């Protein structure tokens, strides 16, 4: 579906796009408070509301990064303050594992940030978002979708070349298609 | 408790015109005109424009009127207003110096003693006008070898910044000798700059002449960069103030410490060596640059209490509420001027409180105070004798000889 | 109306609406462009922008579109879902759809209010709206969960706030548990002599209410008690209350105080907490004459019948060394029990009201006012006791040296409006300072100096009160006191100098006075942080309990079923405390009278076919809602216990747990949506 939609306001310049997963009770409310208090901050973050940071499936993070996000921000209640006792703790542990995985994939650790922000900390929402946007602006685009495209192109080029060689070898027999592995998320 | 000040909230290029745009200036916009600053200022009653009024004049666009008056020549940079300001406004080290500098530019005649000291500082690197070649002369009388960093030719642990009062004043040299003994007793690896050293220039900054301050700071930082050392230690509270707040802006990267802080950090090693009982009642005067400016109230007191036989008593005004000796912000060289204006010498106000405690010793941690309080004691009548000693001197006295 | 359930394979038809919110949204987001853009997306049948979507015509618009253009999904981009999600779900339902076929987009709090670039803000609004439009086709029809509510109410804190809420609820026939930490209820108000602005006697209005609490058949009054544990949820909280040992059996004590008179200590000689240490009491005592319950207590730290010091578990050991003249005096009533032990009570309540109040600022934190150093420096609460007819001096205002002051300085804003201590305005200090100025003058004819920064007298009749007191001839000096020190020209009387700038005359004043009164501010109760944890509340950065919305839900918290009353939520005066207590009681009543609570149907369930039986979800659930069916080798979730956090969903390795309202497919399409530009 994604490719059926045209970018509404292409302005040429790259700006970081960040997906945020905020828990309903603390961080989402803190972002509301930042709004009520008119605390201006960078417009690059798009917030998705979940009931608890414990609901943040690592796959959500991977999905966001592979679909073109340059970073992911996860916000939950402070330790001991989770509305559901310890969802944030579960989130923290999962995040730890994910960090290792991302490092293996060559993704900078700064691109996935976990923050505890209580419902009263509108100021912190502003600060964290601004900081993150600044960090990511410095790091530059992650560009996984583009990389995918590149890989796809390389792959098909490879396939073409291989089949050519094959052709040369077998003298015109139908080549065996090289199976490209598609990462499904 | 008063929160310690964070270093540098305005950069060095800020002027009165641009001040209100900086973070420090935005704080000034929050001033509630409560008058705490004026009420606590030791010379508040002698100012036509109190710090409170200065802020309001600045906000209202009338700062020129303030500059025309000599009100702010009475500010002794004691940090009292800043420490108590309920809005955390940087008066003493940001707003007031900027105004004072403009006052100086417009005043037709400067108080002579003051003028002379600034000139000396500029020409000789010390306010007394002594020969810079004699700066390290005192070390000959130290009774122990004081290594020069240029000669040791390797990295030292502590670069000891002696500064002018301890280099040239007899009573300051007492303090220098005591500090050297303490360093040796602790086995500290230290060296001094010797004749190369120039005044840290704190008063230049906090008072009047940012240009003078800058040239001294740039000179000293260049010197620091020539040598290798772990930390900068000084017994001069004003030098410490400059190193802590301002020098980082000019490229100082090593941590700076006042000797009181340094010795307090090593109190565990020092204490067993303090074996000679002194049997004295001591009252401690908080130096503005060490107390209110950075919150080091406990360190000098801990040192004094570590000396056997010392009983510590407090003056009415102590710690955050301490009374300034009147020597800061150029006050050191404005005594005659203040007298002409009919103002009480602050050092006299202070020693009255010290006398009232019945102490034998008025302990200090800044070389300005020694001479100021000793002079004041000459004119303030008191029955029981009382002497002025630096904390370092008392510590050295208590070392087993 | 019967809900329209979209038939299988019925095409999705989304109605999209973006609200201008006056200029709140439209001022920063080009709503027209957003509506136009969303209109081009697949599945969108209607796309509109409208001035106020939450208004009746706004809601009607949705309903009409559903009827006329056969919409089956609704997306509204407006304010935060915390405010109007419910409104629009109801509108969706009123149009004939399942209320959960709706999704809300936050383009005000998260967008127009926090951004400054119109292009960026519009672009973000498009992304957020697109995400909702891509999410909503996956929505399933759901039903609201209904849970019965326990009609009992717990009130924590027995100050005027807790008292008023308790009486309101008890009079409405509800059973109330009122838990108070101190041996008596009354809170701060019980310590005051008179109250502003009316200057009526505090105890005259408070003690009848206290007595009513003590005797009300619907109120279980547990003083000298604390909440130890809270479990469960709105409608069904399980609470443990620790009733500390007072060594007196409440049911048997008649409050005659014969024991107190009979105590082997002939004279009171221990610091009296109620009078802030200004008076003395015996080891067995009643905190003050009108205490409720009128039951004495024994202080084991000083009573001769106990060994000194506490045992490691906090209890005290009886020494039996005393003649126990108190027991003799009590006689047949047998109310004294030296062996009494702390007791834990378990109760179940449906709703909770927090009314734990405040504490006064400790003036030692502004050392330059000399509190705790100079005996003639007092805090305002101490003065309240000193001028109180039932106080330690029987209402005579005398200083610690026995003299009556001739000149008094009242210092406003001590520990208020100050970056070095507390930043907020405590709201009542200016007014109580005026009250104290009046009372001090009335009691002593002293000359009174009020040093203030700004005289803040908001509220009904308050400015008139200011006027009245000013007319009596106070010195009102506009300047914050900078220093208080002993008068150097005074030998031994303890006279002090108060130094301040009079900012209206530019003069530095050094006024010698006999007594200094510090108008200390209000700050969060030291236990607030503990309570916050225990009750799962939020606190503002200052430490006050946080209300759900500063304007529209001022007594609600983020935890359903827990309400706030009085100063635990922020500094306020008695009228506001009582009003808030009434509001909190009404909120509780509204829940109770409904009989049940509606819960978000956001629970999780397990797709049995896909569950591999690995059991990894079971320990994750904080509510032990997941069980294991040993015969089928599958996990199952008990819907009644599930609170919908989704933690198990996120960690099921086989992806076989689904959370209603937050299904994987829904969230993945939201991710796709925010990134699809
Ligand atoms: C010096 C002074 C003078 C004032 N004068 C006036 C005046 O004249 N007029 C006016 O309108 N307002 C006045 N006020 C304000 C007034 O005191 C408050 O508005 C009022 O007391 C608030 O009532 P409350 O019930 O919220 O809190 P509180 O009175 O503080 O009562 C809270 C109660 O909760 C209890 N509690 C706390 N923690 C726990 C716990 N963990 N478990 C169980 N119980 C707990 C406390 O022991 C206390 O009994 C004055 C305030 C001060 C400081
Ligand atoms: S103390 Fe601070 S807030 Fe008060 S008048 Fe002075 S600068 Fe303004
Ligand atoms: S720094 Fe000291 S002398 Fe200067 S204005 Fe402030 S209080 Fe007065
Ligand atoms: S701080 Fe404003 S009323 Fe006291």
């Amino acid at each position: 579906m994604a490719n059926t939609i045209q970018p509404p306001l292409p302005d040429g310049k790259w700006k970081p796009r960040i997906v945020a997963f905020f828990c309903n009770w603390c961080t989402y409310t803190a972002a509301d408070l930042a709004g009520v208090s008119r605390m201006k901050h960078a417009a690059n973050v798009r917030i998705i509301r979940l009931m608890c940071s414990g609901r943040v499936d690592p796959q959500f993070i991977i999905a966001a990064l592979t679909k073109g996000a340059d970073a992911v921000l996860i916000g939950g209640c402070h330790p001991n303050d989770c509305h559901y006792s310890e969802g944030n703790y579960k989130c923290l542990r999962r995040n730890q594992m994910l960090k290792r995985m991302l490092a293996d994939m060559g993704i900078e650790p700064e691109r996935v940030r976990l923050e505890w922000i209580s419902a009263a900390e509108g100021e912190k929402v502003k600060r964290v978002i601004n900081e993150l946007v600044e960090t990511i602006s410095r790091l530059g685009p992650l560009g996984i979708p583009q990389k995918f495209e590149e890989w796809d192109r390389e792959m098909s080029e490879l396939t073409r070349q291989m089949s050519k060689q094959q052709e040369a070898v077998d003298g015109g027999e139908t080549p065996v298609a090289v199976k490209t592995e598609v990462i499904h998320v | 408790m008063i929160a310690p000040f964070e270093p540098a909230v305005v950069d060095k290029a800020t002027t009165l015109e641009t001040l209100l745009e900086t973070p420090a200036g935005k704080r000034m916009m929050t001033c509630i005109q409560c008058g705490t600053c004026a009420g606590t200022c030791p010379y508040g009653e002698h100012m036509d424009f109190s710090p409170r009024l200065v802020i309001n004049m600045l906000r209202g666009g009338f700062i020129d009127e303030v500059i025309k008056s000599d009100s702010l020549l009475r500010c002794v940079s004691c940090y009292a207003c800043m420490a108590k300001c309920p809005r955390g406004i940087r008066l003493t080290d940001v707003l007031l110096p900027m105004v004072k500098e403009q006052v100086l530019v417009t005043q037709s005649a400067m108080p002579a003693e003051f003028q002379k000291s600034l000139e000396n500082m500029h020409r000789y690197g010390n306010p007394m006008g002594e020969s810079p070649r004699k700066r390290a002369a005192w070390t000959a009388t130290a009774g122990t070898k004081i290594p020069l960093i240029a000669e040791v030719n390797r990295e030292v642990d502590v670069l000891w910044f002696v500064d002018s009062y301890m280099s040239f004043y007899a009573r300051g040299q007492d303090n220098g000798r005591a500090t050297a003994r303490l360093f040796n007793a602790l086995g500290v690896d230290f060296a001094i700059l010797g004749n190369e050293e120039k005044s840290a220039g704190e008063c230049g900054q906090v008072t009047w002449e940012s240009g003078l301050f800058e040239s001294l700071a740039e000179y000293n930082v260049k010197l620091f960069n020539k040598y290798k050392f772990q930390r900068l230690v000084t017994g001069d509270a004003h030098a410490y103030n400059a190193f802590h707040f301002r020098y980082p802006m000019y490229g100082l990267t090593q941590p700076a410490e006042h000797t009181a802080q340094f010795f307090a950090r090593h109190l565990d090693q020092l204490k067993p060596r303090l074996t000679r009982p002194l049997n004295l009642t001591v009252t401690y005067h908080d130096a503005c640059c060490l107390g209110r400016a950075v919150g080091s109230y406990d360190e000098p007191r801990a040192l004094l209490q570590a000396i056997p036989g010392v009983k510590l008593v407090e003056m009415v005004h102590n710690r955050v509420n301490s009374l300034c000796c009147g020597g800061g912000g150029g006050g050191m060289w404005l005594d005659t001027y203040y007298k002409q204006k009919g103002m009480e010498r602050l050092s006299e106000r202070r020693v009255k409180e010290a006398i009232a405690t019945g102490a034998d010793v008025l302990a200090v941690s800044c070389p300005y105070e020694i001479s100021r309080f000793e002079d004041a004691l000459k004119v303030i009548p008191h029955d029981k004798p009382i002497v002025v000693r630096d904390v370092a001197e008392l510590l050295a006295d208590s070392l087993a000889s | 109306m019967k809900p329209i359930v979209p038939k299988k394979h019925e095409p999705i038809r989304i109605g999209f609406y973006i609200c201008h919110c006056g200029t709140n949204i439209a001022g920063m987001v080009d709503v027209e462009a957003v509506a136009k853009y969303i209109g081009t997306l697949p599945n969108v049948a209607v796309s509109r922008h409208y001035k106020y979507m939450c208004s009746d015509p706004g809601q009607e618009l949705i309903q009409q579109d559903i009827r006329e253009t056969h919409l089956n999904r609704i997306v509204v981009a407006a304010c935060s879902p915390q405010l109007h999600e419910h409104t629009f779900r109801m509108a969706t339902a009123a149009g004939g759809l399942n209320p959960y076929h709706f999704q809300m987009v936050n383009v005000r709090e998260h967008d127009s209010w926090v951004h400054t670039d119109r292009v960026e803000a519009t672009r973000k609004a498009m992304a957020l709206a697109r995400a909702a439009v891509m999410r909503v086709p996956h929505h399933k029809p759901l039903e609201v969960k209904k849970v019965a509510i326990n009609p009992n109410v717990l009130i924590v804190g027995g100050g005027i706030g807790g008292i008023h809420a308790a009486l309101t609820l008890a009079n409405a026939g509800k059973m109330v548990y009122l838990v108070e930490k101190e041996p008596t209820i009354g809170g701060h108000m019980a310590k005051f002599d008179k109250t502003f602005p009316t200057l009526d006697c505090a105890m005259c209005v408070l003690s009848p209410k206290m007595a009513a609490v003590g005797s009300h058949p619907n109120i279980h009054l547990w003083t000298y008690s604390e909440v130890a544990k809270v479990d469960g949820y709105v409608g069904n909280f399980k609470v443990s209350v620790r009733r500390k040992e007072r060594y007196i059996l409440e049911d048997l004590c008649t409050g005659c105080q014969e024991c107190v008179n009979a105590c082997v200590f002939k004279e009171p000689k221990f610091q009296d907490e109620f009078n802030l240490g200004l008076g003395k009491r015996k080891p067995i005592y009643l905190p003050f004459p009108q205490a409720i319950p009128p039951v004495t207590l024994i202080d084991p730290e000083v009573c001769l019948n106990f060994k000194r010091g506490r045992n490691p578990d906090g209890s005290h050991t009886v020494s039996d060394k005393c003649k126990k003249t108190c027991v003799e005096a009590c006689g047949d009533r047998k109310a004294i029990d030296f062996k009494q032990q702390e007791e834990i009570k378990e109760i179940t309540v449906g709703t909770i009201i927090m009314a734990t109040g405040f504490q006064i600022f400790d003036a030692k934190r502004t050392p330059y006012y000399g509190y705790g150093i100079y005996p003639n420096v007092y805090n305002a609460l101490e003065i309240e006791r000193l001028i109180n007819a039932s106080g330690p001096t029987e209402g005579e205002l005398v200083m610690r040296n026995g003299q009556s002051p001739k000149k008094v300085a009242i210092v406003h804003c001590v520990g208020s409006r100050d970056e070095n201590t507390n930043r907020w305005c405590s709201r009542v200090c200016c007014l109580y300072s005026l009250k104290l100025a009046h009372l001090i003058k009335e009691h002593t004819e002293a000359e009174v100096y009020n040093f203030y920064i700004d005289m803040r007298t908001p509220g009904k009749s308050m400015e008139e009160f200011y006027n009245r007191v000013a007319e009596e001839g106070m010195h009102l000096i506009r300047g914050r006191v900078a220093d208080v020190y002993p008068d150097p020209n005074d030998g031994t009387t303890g006279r002090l100098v108060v130094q301040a700038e009079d900012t209206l005359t530019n003069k530095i004043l050094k006024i010698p006075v006999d007594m200094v009164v510090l108008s200390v501010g209000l700050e969060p109760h030291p236990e607030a942080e503990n309570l916050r944890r225990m009750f799962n509340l939020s606190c503002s950065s200052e430490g006050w309990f946080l209300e759900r919305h500063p304007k529209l839900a001022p007594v609600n918290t983020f935890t359903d079923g827990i309400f706030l009353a009085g100063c635990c939520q922020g500094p306020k005066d008695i009228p506001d405390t009582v009003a808030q207590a009434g509001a909190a009681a009404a909120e509780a009543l509204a829940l109770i009278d409904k009989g049940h609570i509606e819960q978000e149907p956001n629970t999780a369930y397990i797709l049995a076919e896909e569950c591999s039986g690995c059991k990894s979800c079971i320990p994750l659930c904080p509510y032990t809602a997941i069980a294991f069916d040993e015969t089928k080798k599958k996990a199952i979730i008990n819907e009644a216990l599930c609170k919908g956090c989704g933690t198990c969903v996120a960690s099921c390795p086989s992806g076989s747990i689904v959370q209603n309202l937050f299904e994987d497919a829904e969230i993945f399409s939201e991710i796709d949506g925010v990134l699809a530009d």
Side-chain angles (χ1 to χ4, degrees), chain A residues 94-169:
Chain A
R94 250 180 247 140
N95 190 54
Q96 223 72 356
M97 290 189 317
L98 181 74
K99 279 232 145 124
R100 249 173 273 146
M101 228 176 90
L102 293 177
D104 290 344
M105 294 165 65
I107 296 177
E108 297 90 339
E110 294 95 317
R111 293 195 190 265
V112 177
R113 181 161 171 175
L114 174 62
E115 282 288 347
W116 308 138
I117 305 179
S118 82
E121 294 176 314
E123 179 70 37
K124 188 165 177 190
V125 170
K126 166 183 154 181
R127 199 192 77 222
V128 165
I129 287 183
N130 284 344
E131 276 173 18
L132 187 61
V133 169
E134 210 201 298
T135 314
I136 302 305
S137 305
R138 233 182 315 109
L139 286 180
L142 176 61
I144 291 194
Q146 288 85 316
K147 276 184 201 148
F148 276 169
E149 265 169 45
E150 227 167 86
W151 291 334
D152 282 352
R153 236 181 297 117
E154 280 170 20
M155 270 304 175
S156 46
E157 176 67 7
L158 214 70
T159 324
R160 208 171 49 83
Q161 282 178 7
M162 272 173 75
S163 49
K164 253 197 194 151
Q165 280 169 7
Q166 200 74 7
E167 249 169 79
V169 175

Side-chain angles (χ1 to χ4, degrees), chain B residues 109-135:
Chain B
M110 271 199 259
E113 187 188 354
F114 177 71
Q115 167 93 42
K116 186 85 199 143
S117 301
L118 292 189
E119 273 173 28
N120 285 341
M121 206 127 53
H122 181 63
R123 287 170 61 175
Y124 307 107
N126 67 70
M128 304 86 185
E130 297 279 353
S131 158
R133 266 170 299 159
K134 292 196 191 134
R135 200 171 177 101

